[in-house]
Every structure is written in C-alpha cells, then in structure tokens.
C-alpha cells in the first residue's frame, strides 16, 4: 500500500494575505467596542500585527488585557463576523501562485492539508470563496485542540491519515516547532508577518510559493 505524502500548510500569512482584511476588520471591531464604551483610544493594529499567528484567545488577552473574558469573547465574535463578511465580499486575497503550487502538488501526488490557528468558520469562508477544497484534502483548525497547541494539531493530521512523509509550510515559529515535534521538515515563508528570528528555525526559507517545487 502506498504511504501518503503530504504538504501541511498554515493559512494566515502563508496562503491567505490576511493583511488585506485585517485592518478593516479590526477597525470595525474596535468601532463597535468604542460605541459600546468598552474601548477608548485608537485601534491596536500594530500590536496585533506583532502577534499575528497565535491563537485568537491569546490575541484578545494581548489586545484587551484589562477586560473581562466576556468582553474578549464579544470582541472576538464581532471580529470573526467582520473577517468573514470581508472574505465573502472579495476583499481578501491569496498570495501569488497558491493555485499554481496546489496544481503542481496534485500532479506530484502530494495530499494537501491546512493546519491553522484560525477558527473553523473563518477557514471555511476562505476555502469556499477561493474553491480550494478541490485540492485540500482536509482543513484542521486550532479549535479542534483544547491545548491550542499547533504541534498537537499537526499530530492530529499525522495520526488521522497515517502520514509518515510530510512537509509543514508556514510563516511563524509555531509552524516550525510543530513540524519538528512531529518529525517533519519545515518551509518558512518570508512573507508579511514573518519574523527573521522565527524563520531561522525553519529548515528552508522561501520568498515565493513556487520555490516549494524544488523540494517536492
């Protein structure tokens, strides 16, 4: 029996240009918070960019450090709704050559998975709008892991599909650590939200998704 060969992609900052919808969604969210007297001041865009890629519960702990868990949950609900609306309206964008590399991987009999810190509905909105499900075998969200640990999420994919040969492609330390914990090599995407010190932990660094072809 042939063993499955896989490529496990992160979503935000790797396949999807989150920056295209991040600022308007965050502005809209904090507008709501200001209207409801929950927030006073400017929208912490730069702070969010600096922590982009971590699970959303941690994001809101940083963005609303002095607020209750209930307030953070309400803010997150508004934010998710705004993100999905923007995606559905075509305001987002994939990185260049996503479809090209997906077609190439299909030709090479590589199964494609998503392992993302994004939530289920958000990831579904991206996959559906860009019709990525014709290539992606399954999308996994950090919501499926109680610990919010990316390594455990990749392990779930590995064990669910009995994968022994895979490459993890992402842009943040959590992606590279998850690859290492599961015995897989990693490719770091030097894109919008990547940090040089984190990229140094990847086995390979690329500036263009087409470069993946060299390693598959």
């Amino acid at each position: 029996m042939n063993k499955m060969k896989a490529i496990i992609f992160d979503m935000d900052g790797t396949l999807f240009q989150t920056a295209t919808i991040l600022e308007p969604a965050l502005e809209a969210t904090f507008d709501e918070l200001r209207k409801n007297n929950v927030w006073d001041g400017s929208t912490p865009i730069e702070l969010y960019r600096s922590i982009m890629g971590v699970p959303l519960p941690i994001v809101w702990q940083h963005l609303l450090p002095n607020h209750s868990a209930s307030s953070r949950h309400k803010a997150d609900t508004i934010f998710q709704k705004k993100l999905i609306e923007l995606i559905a309206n075509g305001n987002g964008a994939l990185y260049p050559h996503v479809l090209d590399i997906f077609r190439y991987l299909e030709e090479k009999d590589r199964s494609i998975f998503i392992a993302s810190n994004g939530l289920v509905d958000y990831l579904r909105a991206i996959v559906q709008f860009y019709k990525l499900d014709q290539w992606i075998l399954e999308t996994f969200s950090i919501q499926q892991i109680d610990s919010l640990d990316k390594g455990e999420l990749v392990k779930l994919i590995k064990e669910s599909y009995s994968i022994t040969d895979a490459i993890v492609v992402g842009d943040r330390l959590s992606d590279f650590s998850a690859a290492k914990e599961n015995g897989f090599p990693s490719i770091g995407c030097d894109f919008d939200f990547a940090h040089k010190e984190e990229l140094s932990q990847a086995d390979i660094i690329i500036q263009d998704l087409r470069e993946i072809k060299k390693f598959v």
Side-chain angles (χ1 to χ4, degrees):
M1 186 174 74
N2 292 332
K3 293 182 178 179
M4 179 179 287
K5 296 182 178 181
I7 304 289
I8 302 171
F9 286 94
D10 176 43
M11 180 65 85
D12 291 317
T14 300
L15 297 176
F16 185 69
Q17 297 188 53
T18 317
T20 57
I21 61 171
L22 170 63
E23 189 164 334
L26 208 60
E27 284 288 2
T29 300
F30 276 84
D31 279 346
E32 292 279 346
L33 298 181
R34 282 185 283 264
K35 287 176 185 175
N36 293 315
N37 297 314
V38 177
W39 181 261
D40 181 26
S42 60
T43 302
I45 296 283
E46 290 304 321
L47 176 57
Y48 186 35
R49 285 176 177 159
S50 72
I51 59 174
M52 184 68 192
V54 303
L56 279 167
I58 298 173
V59 166
W60 291 107
Q61 287 173 20
H62 282 81
L63 298 188
L64 300 176
N66 301 316
H67 291 69
S68 66
S70 175
S71 294
R72 292 173 186 161
H73 178 72
K74 288 177 182 176
D76 185 51
T77 300
I78 297 167
F79 184 55
Q80 289 296 318
K81 180 182 177 184
K82 299 298 182 183
L83 287 172
I84 291 170
E85 286 175 355
L86 287 163
I87 292 165
N89 289 332
N91 296 105
L94 298 176
Y95 280 100
H97 315 301
V98 168
L99 302 187
D100 177 32
I101 196 63
F102 276 12
R103 294 186 189 103
Y104 176 82
L105 294 174
E106 182 179 48
E107 291 171 3
K108 295 296 181 179
D109 293 322
R110 284 275 182 166
S111 298
I112 299 171
F113 295 91
I114 302 297
S116 172
N117 284 335
L119 302 188
V120 171
D121 289 345
Y122 167 73
L123 295 171
R124 184 184 298 119
I126 296 171
V127 170
Q128 289 181 346
F129 185 84
Y130 295 101
K131 299 180 172 58
L132 301 180
D133 49 353
Q134 59 188 300
W135 293 288
I136 295 170
L137 189 55
E138 190 171 350
T139 299
F140 287 77
S141 164
I142 203 68
Q143 272 185 298
Q144 296 168 251
I145 301 295
D146 291 338
S147 66
L148 303 180
D149 185 288
K150 194 74 167 281
E152 287 192 30
L153 188 62
V154 170
K155 183 180 179 181
L156 177 60
I157 299 172
K158 179 181 178 180
E159 294 182 346
S160 297
Y161 286 87
S162 301
I163 298 169
T164 57
D165 183 348
I167 300 171
V168 177
V169 183
D171 68 319
R172 299 305 301 267
L173 182 60
S174 61
D175 301 305
F176 316 139
S177 298
K180 194 170 295 183
E181 288 169 22
N182 287 280
F184 297 145
S186 59
I187 294 177
C189 298
D190 190 4
F191 299 164
D192 295 325
F193 300 106
H195 294 179
K196 298 298 182 185
E197 65 276 12
E198 294 186 3
L199 282 171
S200 69
Q201 300 302 307
D203 295 301
I204 298 160
I205 299 173
I206 61 174
Q207 278 78 40
D208 186 310
L209 287 170
R210 291 174 296 182
E211 295 177 58
I212 292 173
K213 296 178 182 181
K214 302 175 188 176
F215 311 104
V216 175

